[in-house]
Amino acid sequence: MDGTDQKLISALRHNGRAAISDLAVELGVSRATVRTRLEKLVRSGEILGFSVILRSDAFELPVRGIMLLSIEGRGTDRIVARLRGMPEITAIHTTNGKWDLVVELGTDTLSSLDAVLHKIRLIEGISASETNLYLATKRSAERPAI
């Protein structure tokens, strides 16, 4: 992948629906070059797909964060199954290191978040937790202010 490919990927992160002609102007290359490089990046697996960021992803749950969980013994599957049933949890990631799970969650108020955190901490087999709130989210699809 060269500099032109990297610029193309950056432009697509800012606007995944940009027209090939707009991308060509932005990169200073022909439309055929953009089309060829885009097809090559998809075919090689460098670009796995395209996604949409919904307004509700950022605004429906104004109080969001992550909870890091340490699990005793071999209870991970049981705990993950229990967490999956909680509507406030948007994603569960297994990981290595000090923490066994990273749980993304969101609620409409701080008191609702506090209640969910309390409920999670009461699950048998969770030995420790740490919670961090998201203060602001900068997505790779956002262009920096000029």
Side-chain angles (χ1 to χ4, degrees), residues 19-62:
I20 288 179
S21 58
D22 293 338
L23 292 168
V25 168
E26 185 173 341
L27 274 59
V29 298
S30 71
R31 290 186 318 228
T33 298
V34 170
R35 184 176 294 113
T36 301
R37 286 177 178 260
L38 185 57
E39 289 170 357
K40 178 190 77 163
L41 289 166
V42 171
R43 191 174 46 255
S44 71
E46 194 66 38
I47 293 178
L48 295 177
F50 299 87
S51 65
V52 174
I53 300 170
L54 301 175
R55 180 184 322 208
S56 62
D57 290 341
F59 300 111
E60 193 169 277
L61 300 172

Side-chain angles (χ1 to χ4, degrees), residues 22 72 109 133:
D22 293 338
E72 297 172 346
T109 66
L133 295 180

Side-chain angles (χ1 to χ4, degrees), residues 65-119:
I66 59 169
M67 187 175 199
L68 308 168
L69 300 174
S70 182
I71 297 173
E72 297 172 346
R74 300 176 188 240
T76 303
D77 291 341
R78 178 183 51 79
I79 291 170
V80 167
R82 186 102 181 264
L83 294 171
R84 280 188 174 153
M86 300 175 142
E88 300 87 357
I89 294 178
T90 58
I92 303 167
H93 309 276
T94 57
T95 186
N96 66 334
K98 178 181 178 181
W99 303 104
D100 299 303
L101 296 176
V102 176
V103 177
E104 295 181 43
L105 53 143
T107 63
D108 55 346
T109 66
L110 280 171
S111 60
S112 297
L113 181 68
D114 185 48
V116 172
L117 297 178
H118 179 73
K119 188 173 167 182

Side-chain angles (χ1 to χ4, degrees), residues 133-144:
L133 295 180
Y134 295 151
L135 300 178
T137 300
K138 306 293 185 200
R139 301 206 185 264
S140 62
E142 295 178 2
R143 289 194 185 266

